[in-house]
Amino acid sequence: MPWMGLGVYKMDVENGEARDAVLSAIEVGYRSIDTASFYNNEEGVGEALQKTNVRREDLFITTKVWNDEQGYEETLEAFERSRKKLGLEYLDLYLVHWPVPGKYKDTWRALEKLYNDGKVKAIGVSNFLPHHLDELLKDATIKPMVNQVELHPQLNQPELRAYCDEHDIQLEAWSPLARGKFFDDPLIQELSEKYGKTPAQIILRWDYQHGIVTIPKSSSKERQTENADIFDFELSAHEMNRLESLNKDERIGPHPDEFDYSK
């Protein structure tokens, strides 16, 4: 699983935005693409995958089962819909998008079947907190390989990071840049000036040095190139600790325990 991928949330299909963004990202050098049935752009991602000359085995494609598709049989059906929209024989990673109460354990059983049947190379969850993972692990025969959550310096989730580290679950950050809302923080600005890097690059480097996979969203080829240019410098241990201090437990998305699962 590459350390950095392209997120395509809210990228349009009809105007070709999703297709073009994926194609430009692959041209830049990205090999990981993250979508979801809820994004309504799996077809656009699929168009790009059919057009690229990069070998399928060199790509890492992720999608997710949405809340109203959850349940055992429902998830198996949802997987087939997503697979066909993407135009793929198999997926590299399939995730439970949110921990829908009363459903996510049955959904997980379906993911285990897909994995055992060889239709998915890896399975995981998204937006799961430690108590959700504890409940899942009571009956799971395969533990989640990935947990994709909102995570950035102002929501650095130390308890969840420690839990996933202890259980050997790879953390992946969605919206790792928090939509740029704290790019102007004095510490981010200080480090940006010191290293000659953008605020986004400082934050993405912080993730990388913590062993966190990131999937920043951008449809701009220039910004995609910029986001990926984080491997030629290193933050010091002191600077990493200073960035930890930015935590305010502030989310840009909903809290998993407060999500409206009726929608």
Side-chain angles (χ1 to χ4, degrees):
M1 185 179 187
W3 285 107
M4 183 176 293
L6 177 73
V8 298
Y9 179 51
K10 288 190 175 180
M11 289 191 190
D12 203 346
V13 170
E14 292 185 6
N15 65 8
E17 180 187 13
R19 177 199 62 218
D20 294 345
V22 172
L23 283 172
S24 67
I26 291 174
E27 184 179 341
V28 166
Y30 287 70
R31 293 296 178 263
S32 175
I33 308 297
D34 179 275
T35 185
S37 63
F38 178 70
Y39 301 171
N40 291 317
N41 58 21
E42 289 171 319
E43 296 98 331
V45 173
E47 284 181 46
L49 298 179
Q50 301 310 309
K51 288 178 176 291
T52 182
N53 293 323
V54 174
R55 297 182 307 170
R56 171 66 185 96
E57 56 266 34
D58 293 332
L59 296 170
F60 192 96
I61 310 301
T62 301
T63 193
K64 313 173 193 75
V65 55
W66 185 241
N67 302 340
D68 63 5
E69 299 172 313
Q70 289 196 36
Y72 184 78
E73 293 294 342
E74 295 89 339
T75 296
L76 296 178
E77 293 170 3
F79 170 82
E80 283 301 316
R81 287 194 296 272
S82 289
R83 184 188 65 77
K84 289 176 181 177
K85 287 177 181 178
L86 290 163
L88 299 175
E89 291 300 316
Y90 68 91
L91 289 176
D92 296 280
L93 178 61
Y94 197 41
L95 302 177
V96 183
H97 208 148
W98 288 88
V100 177
K103 286 192 174 182
Y104 67 80
K105 295 182 77 168
D106 286 334
T107 301
W108 186 252
R109 286 196 302 114
L111 265 64
E112 290 178 329
K113 175 175 172 53
L114 292 167
Y115 177 79
N116 287 326
D117 288 349
K119 295 182 178 180
V120 184
K121 300 292 185 181
I123 53 176
V125 296
S126 182
N127 302 301
F128 276 52
L129 299 175
H131 68 90
H132 300 120
L133 291 165
D134 278 338
E135 185 62 29
L136 189 68
L137 290 172
K138 287 180 182 178
D139 302 303
T141 59
I142 302 170
K143 71 179 176 182
M145 300 163 191
V146 173
N147 186 14
Q148 184 187 114
V149 299
E150 180 182 349
L151 198 152
H152 43 75
Q154 288 196 341
L155 180 71
N156 63 39
Q157 307 221 53
E159 179 188 356
L160 181 61
R161 282 160 49 195
Y163 183 102
C164 289
D165 185 54
E166 179 185 349
H167 290 83
D168 196 27
I169 298 171
Q170 176 63 53
L171 263 180
E172 181 177 18
W174 62 257
S175 198
L177 303 176
R179 299 174 187 161
K181 77 170 192 174
F182 58 97
F183 280 2
D184 59 353
D185 180 273
L187 175 56
I188 300 291
Q189 289 291 320
E190 174 193 328
L191 295 175
S192 177
E193 183 175 345
K194 174 182 175 180
Y195 288 102
K197 292 290 184 178
T198 65
Q201 290 168 328
I202 296 297
I203 294 166
L204 292 171
R205 181 69 198 189
W206 174 85
D207 281 300
Y208 175 68
Q209 288 184 219
H210 271 308
I212 298 166
V213 172
T214 56
I215 44 170
K217 170 197 170 184
S218 179
S219 56
S220 158
K221 186 175 182 180
E222 180 181 4
R223 187 62 55 82
Q224 291 170 353
T225 302
E226 177 186 289
N227 286 342
D229 186 21
I230 64 167
F231 301 105
D232 60 351
F233 75 106
E234 184 172 353
L235 299 167
S236 71
H238 177 61
E239 289 164 345
M240 291 289 287
N241 287 334
R242 290 179 68 198
L243 286 166
E244 288 291 302
S245 71
L246 296 181
N247 186 48
K248 297 180 180 178
D249 291 329
E250 289 185 0
R251 296 175 178 270
I252 60 169
H255 191 290
D257 287 334
E258 299 167 3
F259 192 93
D260 185 355
Y261 290 103
S262 64
K263 293 182 178 179

